[in-house]
Amino acid sequence: MRNLSKVTALAVLMSLSGAVFTAPVLAAPDAAKIEARKKAKTRVMGERVGKKVIKAFDLYNEEKLDEAIAMLKEIEASDDFDKATVNRYLGSMYGQKEQYKTAIKHLELAVAPDILNFADQEQSLKTLGDMYAGTEQYEKAKKAYVAWMDFTGEEDATVYTRIAQANYQLGLFKDVFSPADKAIKLQKEPNKGPYQLKLGSYFELKDYKNMVKVGEEIVRIWPGDKKAWVSLGKYYLQTEDYKTGLATMEVAYKNGYFEAEVDYKVLSNFYSLNEIPYKAAKVLEKSIDDKIVKRTKQNISAVASNYHRSKDIEKAAKYYEEAAKFDDDAELYRKAGSLLLQSQNYSAAVVRLNKALELGSDKQGTIYSDLAEAYYYQEKYKQAYAAITKAMDDPRTRKFAKGWSTFIKDKAARNGVKI
């Protein structure tokens, strides 16, 4: 009796060492059958097999796992219950060795005759489901979890989550929501797993409105979750709810929730989309200066563009030129020169405009027109006239240039300059 009780204790230990899951989707448990199973007399292994199992577990407790497995494999049990029990132990031990294919084979043999004691059978079904899932056999995993629910008549949040996860991995995104919702309903303590599966599924289905709803729910349940706030802000981009997206990202920014470069860029983008270009420029500019966002042509161009839109001409010109220097961008040099002209910094405008011409800009008529104006206001009438003459070569600026050429020539004559 002492030896047999030791075996029973070891069996309990094994059952507790497995993963824990529970829940049905298509399960149809038979209450009467379940009750009968629970009330059934606990079976024990035969004395001959039991003694060998004890020796195997002595080796196991000495951390001699391979030797314990070898001893269990030597057992030639004639009784179906003994066979199932030995296979169960072998399944658990092979699982610890991460030899899951072999572990699964033994667990399948253990549960197939449905002869194990109630606790051992239900735990083996759960563990088998986990091993199927861990080896990406998701259809089999679902069947094992449903079999566990049929066997026990119980529902469990973690099992429903695993079924939802299996459906997600199989690309059955519409089938994720039911088990995920059941998992959420059964949770004793909120767990993000089923919520994340719903988010991912709505995203894959391009159902962004419902994705936002789940994101909002996550923030309500976990208001201190930094990533949840930032992610929710980004979800609003998908639904084009720029006002709410901006408000959400502002909360995240002010509370120090930003962790990635993209977070600052999204906030800047929201300011821009809400027609607040100055803040869009300032946020991005500061994050670049703080070396959080990379100083790339694209990012600097975005700063320039937003300063341009907010009519901060000098800063816009400065950043357009910086962006232009990354790869000698003629168009950005042209924009810098044009803005410097607007701010009446004529000599600086000439330098940038000529740089744009040197780099082969395809807007030569516009550039020569701007050059003519820059020279004119510096009272360099000959250079202004030469520039406006070249502007006449471009059909897009010819009409404007003709009018200006006469004006420049008359102004030069009044100032004693012959052209």
Side-chain angles (χ1 to χ4, degrees):
M1 289 296 292
R2 181 179 62 82
N3 287 343
L4 291 178
S5 64
K6 183 175 180 181
V7 171
T8 303
L10 287 169
V12 173
L13 175 64
M14 292 289 288
S15 70
L16 292 174
S17 67
V20 180
F21 295 100
T22 329
V25 186
L26 301 173
D30 184 325
K33 197 172 182 180
I34 292 166
E35 189 62 25
R37 283 176 183 147
K38 288 182 177 179
K39 290 181 178 179
K41 185 178 178 180
T42 300
R43 297 189 62 175
V44 294
M45 289 180 286
E47 186 174 355
R48 180 181 62 84
V49 174
K51 285 180 178 179
K52 290 183 179 180
V53 167
I54 289 170
K55 288 181 181 179
F57 270 94
D58 285 339
L59 292 169
Y60 173 82
N61 290 330
E62 293 172 11
E63 299 184 1
K64 296 178 180 178
L65 186 55
D66 289 335
E67 290 88 338
I69 289 172
M71 183 162 288
L72 288 173
K73 288 176 71 177
E74 289 175 1
I75 296 174
E76 294 182 2
S78 57
D79 180 81
D80 288 343
F81 174 78
D82 289 354
K83 286 179 183 177
T85 302
V86 171
N87 275 312
R88 178 171 177 269
Y89 292 150
L90 282 168
S92 291
M93 289 187 185
Y94 275 115
Q96 289 181 51
K97 286 174 65 66
E98 299 183 3
Q99 294 182 17
Y100 298 118
K101 185 177 180 180
T102 306
I104 286 170
K105 180 188 75 173
H106 284 288
L107 284 175
E108 287 174 338
L109 291 170
V111 301
D114 190 7
I115 202 170
L116 293 170
N117 290 315
F118 187 87
D120 295 341
Q121 180 76 2
E122 69 93 5
Q123 184 61 54
S124 297
L125 286 168
K126 265 198 271 187
T127 303
L128 189 55
D130 297 342
M131 286 190 180
Y132 283 139
T135 54
E136 300 183 4
Q137 299 178 71
Y138 299 113
E139 285 291 357
K140 287 186 176 182
K142 288 197 295 179
K143 289 177 182 177
Y145 291 135
V146 171
W148 178 87
M149 291 186 276
D150 272 337
F151 183 81
T152 62
E154 296 179 18
E155 291 186 307
D156 179 89
T158 308
V159 168
Y160 275 121
T161 301
R162 287 301 176 97
I163 291 172
Q165 185 176 27
N167 284 329
Y168 182 86
Q169 294 295 342
L170 289 165
L172 304 172
F173 303 117
K174 290 182 180 179
D175 294 336
V176 167
F177 306 117
S178 178
D181 286 335
K182 287 179 180 178
I184 291 167
K185 186 176 180 180
L186 288 168
Q187 287 175 350
K188 293 178 181 178
E189 294 292 333
N191 180 284
K192 290 177 190 166
Y195 292 96
Q196 296 292 348
L197 288 167
K198 289 178 68 175
L199 275 176
S201 298
Y202 281 128
F203 177 79
E204 294 292 344
L205 293 168
K206 295 182 171 54
D207 186 347
Y208 302 124
K209 287 186 178 179
N210 276 314
M211 185 178 74
V212 164
K213 288 179 182 178
V214 177
E216 290 171 338
E217 193 172 357
I218 291 173
V219 166
R220 282 195 297 271
I221 297 170
W222 293 279
D225 187 328
K226 299 178 181 181
K227 290 184 178 179
W229 279 95
V230 175
S231 296
L232 177 59
K234 294 171 185 175
Y235 300 155
Y236 287 119
L237 279 174
Q238 300 290 345
T239 58
E240 299 183 5
D241 187 353
Y242 303 135
K243 185 176 180 180
T244 309
L246 174 58
T248 305
M249 292 301 281
E250 280 185 324
V251 169
Y253 179 63
K254 290 173 183 176
N255 282 282
Y257 293 166
F258 284 7
E259 295 179 348
E261 175 179 358
V262 67
D263 302 341
Y264 297 88
K265 293 166 75 170
V266 168
L267 175 59
S268 176
N269 193 28
F270 269 127
Y271 277 126
S272 181
L273 291 167
N274 281 280
E275 302 298 330
I276 313 173
Y278 183 74
K279 281 193 174 182
K282 290 296 290 184
V283 164
L284 197 53
E285 179 184 43
K286 184 179 186 303
S287 61
I288 291 171
D289 290 343
D290 291 342
K291 298 182 178 179
I292 298 169
V293 172
K294 293 177 183 176
R295 205 172 197 94
T296 64
K297 177 183 178 181
Q298 182 182 18
N299 293 335
I300 294 298
S301 295
V303 174
S305 177
N306 280 303
Y307 272 132
H308 192 173
R309 288 175 59 208
S310 63
K311 296 185 169 40
D312 192 332
I313 301 303
E314 291 186 2
K315 280 193 174 181
K318 169 192 166 186
Y319 282 110
Y320 275 136
E321 182 174 7
E322 182 180 341
K325 289 178 180 178
F326 278 90
D327 56 4
D328 284 338
D329 189 312
E331 176 59 12
L332 293 178
Y333 273 115
R334 185 198 69 77
K335 286 184 177 182
S338 178
L339 292 180
L340 287 167
L341 175 63
Q342 289 182 44
S343 62
Q344 300 181 10
N345 194 341
Y346 303 122
S347 59
V350 167
V351 173
R352 278 69 180 179
L353 293 167
N354 276 322
K355 183 70 174 178
L357 288 173
E358 177 189 322
L359 292 170
S361 172
D362 60 356
K363 296 183 179 179
Q364 293 198 6
T366 301
I367 293 172
Y368 279 121
S369 295
D370 284 346
L371 275 171
E373 187 176 348
Y375 284 130
Y376 174 83
Y377 286 114
Q378 293 179 82
E379 298 182 356
K380 296 179 179 180
Y381 301 117
K382 287 186 177 182
Q383 292 97 317
Y385 188 77
I388 206 67
T389 300
K390 289 182 178 179
M392 285 190 281
D393 293 337
D394 189 331
R396 293 169 294 184
T397 54
R398 183 172 296 146
K399 185 175 180 180
F400 167 81
K402 281 184 178 180
W404 251 85
S405 65
T406 303
F407 179 78
I408 291 169
K409 194 171 185 179
D410 290 345
K411 181 70 172 181
R414 289 197 297 272
N415 283 274
V417 177
K418 186 177 180 181
I419 295 176

